[in-house]
Amino acid sequence: MRSGDAARALTSAATQLEPCSGVDLVKSLQASDPAGFETFEGAARGVVNGQGLLWRVERPGARVSYLFGTMHSSDDQAKQFDDLVLRALARSHVVAIELPGASTKRVASELRRLVANRSFRPGGDTLRLLPEHVRPAVEARVARAGIPASVANQLNPWYLALALSRSNCAAPIQRSDPETADARIERMAHEQGAEVVALETPIEQVDALASVPDGVALRMLRDAAERNTRPEDIESTITGLYQTRRIGYLLAMRGPAWAGMFDADGYADFLSAFITRRNVTMLQRALPIIGEGDAFLAVGALHLPGPNGLVEMIRSSGFTVTRIW
C-alpha cells in the first residue's frame, strides 16, 4: 500500500541501513492528546469511503465483483487475508492487479530503467528552485538519504521527494517468506485457474510519478526538511491504519484537525498527485472487467478512499459499491 511499484524500484546511494522502527502517529496522538485525537477522528470519519478494505461491486444484469485494498508489502500481517477476502477471491474468474509480476526481476529491472530515464533534470537547477533559506536543510536531508547535493541538483523534484519518502528501516536480512501481498494474490489466482490481468503498465506508473508537479514535490521536500518528518513514522502510521481498515484517515492528517502534531500537507499533496492520475487509468481498465462480473480487483489501499478514489469512481460509473469488510 506504499506509493506503488515504481517507488519500490528506486535504488538509494546509501550503503548501510540500520534496523529501526517508526512511531504510529495516530496512536501517539490518541495517547498524548485525547481531545486533539477526538477532533482529528471527527474529521477522519468524514472522509468519503475512508473505512473498509473489501467492497462488493454490482449492478443489475451483471454478476458480482469485488474490490480489495492491499499493501505493497511482504509483512506477514499484510498477507493474512480475512476469510471474507479469500472467499471473494475464490469466487472470481478474473483477478485484476496493478502490475502482474511486479516482484519479478524482469519487471523490477524495467521499472528501474524507466525511473532512471525520467529522473534527470536538464540544466541541473533543482535545489535552486527552493527558497534560499530552506535550501541547506533540504540538502542535508537529501544527503542523509545518500544523495549528495551535486547529484540532487541534477534530479527531478519528484525523484528527490520519493527518495525522502523511503523508510530508512532495513528489511530483515533473511525472510522466510519474501512474497508480497500482491504477489500472493496473483499466485492464488493462478492456482485456482483465474485469469490474471493488469490494471497498469510499468511506463504508466513511472509516467504518473513524473507528472507530479514540481511545486508539489518541492513542498514535500521542504516539509520533510523543516518539520523533520520521518518516513518510518509515516510507514508505521499507514500500517496501523491498514490493520484497522481506516486507511482513509490518512487523508485527514493535515491542518488544525490534526492538532498541529504533524502536518502531512506536503506528503498528502504528493500522494494525491501520484494516486489520482493512476486511479483514472485503473478505472478505464476495470470497468469492462467488472461489467462482466465474477472479478476481483486488488489495488493498493490508498487507491480506495476519497472523492477521487476508486470506490467513488466506480460508484459514479453506475455500479452499487458496498463495504463488506
Side-chain angles (χ1 to χ4, degrees), residues 50-270:
Q51 300 180 66
L53 294 177
L54 180 64
W55 301 74
R56 184 172 60 244
V57 181
E58 53 194 336
R59 72 177 180 186
R63 295 183 293 274
V64 173
S65 293
Y66 299 92
L67 174 65
F68 176 57
T70 72
M71 284 192 72
H72 305 311
S73 170
S74 58
D75 182 84
D76 290 338
Q77 292 188 350
K79 298 183 292 187
Q80 297 302 314
F81 304 128
D82 186 85
D83 285 345
L84 285 171
V85 177
L86 294 174
R87 289 201 294 270
L89 178 61
R91 294 189 189 107
S92 303
H93 297 151
V94 176
V95 175
I97 61 178
E98 290 181 20
L99 196 60
S103 59
T104 64
K105 290 182 179 179
R106 179 185 64 81
V107 176
S109 176
E110 175 70 359
L111 286 167
R112 284 194 295 270
R113 183 186 68 80
L114 291 168
V115 167
N117 287 344
R118 301 294 297 274
S119 62
F120 286 93
R121 181 182 185 88
D125 61 350
T126 297
L127 296 179
R128 287 194 290 273
L129 297 175
L130 291 159
E132 188 173 351
H133 70 281
V134 302
R135 201 176 301 157
V138 172
E139 289 180 358
R141 184 66 182 262
V142 170
R144 291 204 301 272
I147 306 175
S150 59
V151 175
N153 233 351
Q154 302 175 53
L155 298 171
N156 277 307
W158 63 264
Y159 185 100
L160 294 177
L162 193 59
L164 293 195
S165 75
R166 297 179 70 242
S167 171
N168 292 320
C169 295
I173 295 176
Q174 291 182 335
R175 290 192 65 94
S176 59
D177 181 11
E179 185 179 50
T180 64
D182 310 76
R184 178 158 293 183
I185 288 174
E186 183 178 356
R187 174 175 58 79
M188 294 172 70
H190 284 302
E191 290 173 351
Q192 71 188 41
E195 179 186 2
V196 176
V197 298
L199 293 173
E200 291 183 292
T201 66
I203 195 168
E204 286 168 343
Q205 281 198 354
V206 177
D207 281 349
L209 272 175
S211 72
V212 173
D214 285 354
V216 170
L218 291 168
R219 183 180 183 184
M220 184 176 171
L221 290 173
R222 180 173 177 169
D223 282 1
E226 290 188 324
R227 303 176 189 278
N228 198 31
T229 55
R230 300 175 64 237
E232 297 80 26
D233 295 343
I234 293 175
E235 182 175 330
S236 293
T237 303
I238 292 175
T239 299
L241 291 173
Y242 183 83
Q243 291 170 352
T244 54
R245 304 192 299 282
R246 299 178 297 165
I247 196 64
Y249 278 40
L250 186 71
L251 303 184
M253 290 177 62
R254 59 167 69 203
W258 185 236
M261 175 182 171
F262 173 75
D263 190 343
D265 282 5
Y267 180 84
D269 287 346
F270 181 87

Side-chain angles (χ1 to χ4, degrees), residues 6-70:
R8 295 199 301 276
L10 271 175
T11 56
S12 172
T15 56
Q16 295 291 331
L17 295 177
E18 296 296 331
C20 58
S21 62
V23 174
D24 184 324
L25 298 171
V26 172
K27 289 183 177 179
S28 179
L29 179 64
Q30 187 174 17
S32 64
D33 184 0
F37 174 78
E38 186 175 349
T39 300
F40 160 70
E41 189 169 42
R45 288 185 181 278
V47 173
V48 177
N49 308 311
Q51 300 180 66
L53 294 177
L54 180 64
W55 301 74
R56 184 172 60 244
V57 181
E58 53 194 336
R59 72 177 180 186
R63 295 183 293 274
V64 173
S65 293
Y66 299 92
L67 174 65
F68 176 57
T70 72

